[in-house]
């Protein structure tokens, strides 16, 4: 028999949550078969069978938190499960033949039914339900549960409390309860709600965003970009570009190139704070925020300064595909130096992005919208405009530096040919 253990899952990850078991106890598995999926703060990891055999026991159930090295199940070598199942079936048939209708099975149901009557009501009530019942002087045995397995929840106690005043209404003291009952029912008690547990990743995202706002002196500066030149280049070159590189020419490659060019001019924005030190990074690993089912993830385009437009587009497309299919590796998410997020894909006109700590800068892209623009003192034209936002850590980045960085990004985007020179 071998133990199924939680493997090492990469830097900074010490625990995970059992997302789902792919097999059941007694199932026969082959070496390499996926046994279960673990959800971590960053990615989901599949744990496979290291040998063929039968899943003897599941120790850790779905939803439970586990740590690296912990035993979460056992696997017996060989094909014992295959022979065990048939052996049990004939045995059952023999019992049916030898003892057609014994009276022995009938006594057990009696104690089983009796036990829940005395203590199960309290044991199957949630802590909040028990507390509310005590406060309102309600016996849990009298509360009707809507749960299929009979567990009593807070809403069940509230519903019982709403129904309780009806028989007690005859006394004069209950008369004023008439106006309060509709008010409570209309505002709280009768409103349908659904409670969902946060996924580990969503909880981690929430924690990190709050930490970023609490630890960094975060400010945001804005500018706008005239996208006319880029849209003209894409219109003229997109067919040949796709024919040659088998990938669409999108906006992200232009923005990545422009960001790298600006970071080279303002290296402090490509840094991080380590204690009292500022760590200036001489490489450009650009994080691209991608919206996935479990929440926002930021896979990283490595050495973006060394990549051409087609290579950047292919890297982003590959990472986005992995994110949406939940197949990102930890290495895809670690070590970014600066992040780009595009709220414009969802229609956002303007926003203030939150830092992806320990990075000290993040660029927010937004929706391209036709707006009237003054060309000179006499002419106005409708131009495709995009607001861009730079959130930065004011602890090491001065306001003037942040503004000039954003102006540089704007200038590079409005003159796309310069990206070939500046990059």
């Amino acid at each position: 028999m071998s133990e199924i253990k939680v493997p090492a899952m990469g830097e900074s990850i010490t625990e995970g949550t059992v997302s789902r078991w792919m097999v059941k106890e007694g199932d026969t598995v082959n070496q390499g078969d996926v046994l279960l999926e673990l959800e971590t703060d960053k990615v989901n990891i599949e744990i496979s069978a290291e040998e063929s055999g039968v899943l003897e026991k599941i120790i850790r159930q779905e939803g439970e938190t586990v740590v690296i090295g912990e035993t979460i199940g056992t696997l017996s070598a060989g094909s014992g499960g295959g022979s065990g199942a048939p052996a049990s079936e004939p045995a059952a048939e023999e019992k049916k033949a030898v003892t057609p209708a014994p009276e022995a099975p009938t006594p057990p149901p009696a104690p089983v039914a009796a036990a829940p009557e005395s203590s199960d009501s309290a044991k199957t009530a949630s802590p909040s339900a028990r507390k509310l019942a005590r406060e309102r002087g309600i016996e849990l045995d009298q509360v009707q549960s809507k749960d299929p397995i009979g567990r009593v929840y807070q809403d069940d106690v509230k519903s019982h409390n709403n129904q309780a005043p009806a028989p007690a209404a005859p006394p004069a003291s209950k008369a004023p309860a008439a106006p309060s009952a509709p008010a409570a029912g209309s505002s709280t008690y009768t409103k349908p709600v659904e409670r969902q547990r946060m996924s580990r990743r969503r909880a981690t995202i929430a924690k990190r965003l709050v930490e970023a706002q609490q630890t960094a002196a975060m400010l945001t500066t804005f500018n706008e970009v005239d996208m006319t030149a880029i849209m003209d280049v894409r219109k003229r070159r997109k067919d040949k570009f796709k024919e040659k590189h088998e990938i669409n020419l999108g906006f992200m490659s232009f923005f990545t190139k422009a960001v790298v060019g600006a970071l080279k001019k303002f290296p402090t924005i490509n840094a991080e704070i380590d204690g009292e030190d500022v760590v200036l990074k001489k490489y450009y690993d650009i994080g691209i925020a991608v919206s996935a089912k479990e929440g926002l993830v930021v896979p990283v385009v490595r050495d973006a300064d060394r990549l051409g437009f087609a290579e950047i587009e292919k890297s982003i497309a590959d990472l986005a595909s992995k994110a949406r299919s939940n197949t990102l590796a930890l290495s895809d998410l670690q070590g970014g130096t600066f992040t780009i997020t595009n709220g414009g894909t969802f229609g956002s006109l303007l926003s203030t992005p939150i830092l992806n700590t320990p990075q000290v800068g993040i660029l927010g892209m937004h929706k391209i919208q036709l707006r009237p623009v003054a060309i000179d003192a006499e002419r106005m034209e409708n131009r495709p405009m995009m607001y861009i936002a730079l959130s930065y850590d004011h602890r090491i980045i001065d306001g003037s530096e942040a503004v000039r960085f954003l102006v540089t990004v704007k200038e590079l985007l409005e003159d796309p040919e310069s990206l070939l020179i500046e990059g």
Side-chain angles (χ1 to χ4, degrees), residues 135-275:
E135 292 173 352
R136 300 190 177 185
I138 299 172
E139 293 291 336
L140 286 173
D141 290 340
Q142 300 173 4
V143 177
Q144 293 184 352
S145 171
K146 298 175 184 177
D147 188 74
I149 63 172
R151 183 177 175 84
V152 177
Y153 289 95
Q154 191 177 37
D155 286 344
D156 297 325
V157 178
K158 290 179 180 178
S159 298
H160 178 84
N161 193 55
N162 286 343
Q163 296 169 2
S173 61
K174 285 296 178 181
S180 63
S186 60
S187 63
T188 304
Y189 295 159
T190 61
K191 297 288 186 180
V193 297
E194 180 181 351
R195 186 182 296 272
Q196 295 182 346
R197 185 179 180 85
M198 272 192 187
S199 68
R200 172 175 289 273
R201 194 166 307 148
R202 172 58 63 186
T204 300
I205 290 171
K207 180 181 177 182
R208 292 194 64 187
L209 292 179
V210 171
E211 286 178 351
Q213 291 183 309
Q214 291 177 339
T215 59
M218 192 170 69
L219 292 179
T220 305
T221 184
F222 303 92
N223 213 316
E224 62 179 353
V225 177
D226 185 344
M227 299 292 288
T228 301
I230 288 179
M231 295 181 77
D232 179 62
V233 169
R234 290 182 70 240
K235 183 178 180 180
R236 288 186 290 104
R237 304 294 302 177
K238 65 179 183 179
D239 291 337
K240 289 185 178 180
F241 186 88
K242 186 172 183 179
E243 181 181 344
K244 180 177 180 180
H245 301 291
E246 298 182 343
I247 190 74
N248 289 324
L249 178 59
F251 292 112
M252 290 306 302
S253 52
F254 289 95
F255 275 82
T256 302
K257 282 285 189 182
V259 161
V260 169
L263 288 174
K264 289 181 176 180
K265 288 187 176 181
F266 302 95
T268 307
I269 302 177
N270 197 51
E272 70 176 69
I273 299 174
D274 183 13

Side-chain angles (χ1 to χ4, degrees), residues 251-263 284-288 301 303-305 307-309 312-313 316 338 340 363 365 409 412-413 419 423:
F251 292 112
M252 290 306 302
S253 52
F254 289 95
F255 275 82
T256 302
K257 282 285 189 182
V259 161
V260 169
L263 288 174
Y284 304 90
D285 288 352
I286 307 300
I288 306 295
V301 176
D303 298 316
D305 58 318
L307 303 180
F309 280 76
I312 292 173
E313 292 290 352
I316 293 173
F338 185 92
I340 302 174
L363 180 75
M365 300 167 56
V409 171
L412 290 172
L413 291 170
L419 294 175

Side-chain angles (χ1 to χ4, degrees), residues 26 80-96:
S83 59
S88 61
E89 291 173 7
E93 292 175 4
E94 288 175 12
K95 286 182 180 178
K96 290 179 183 178

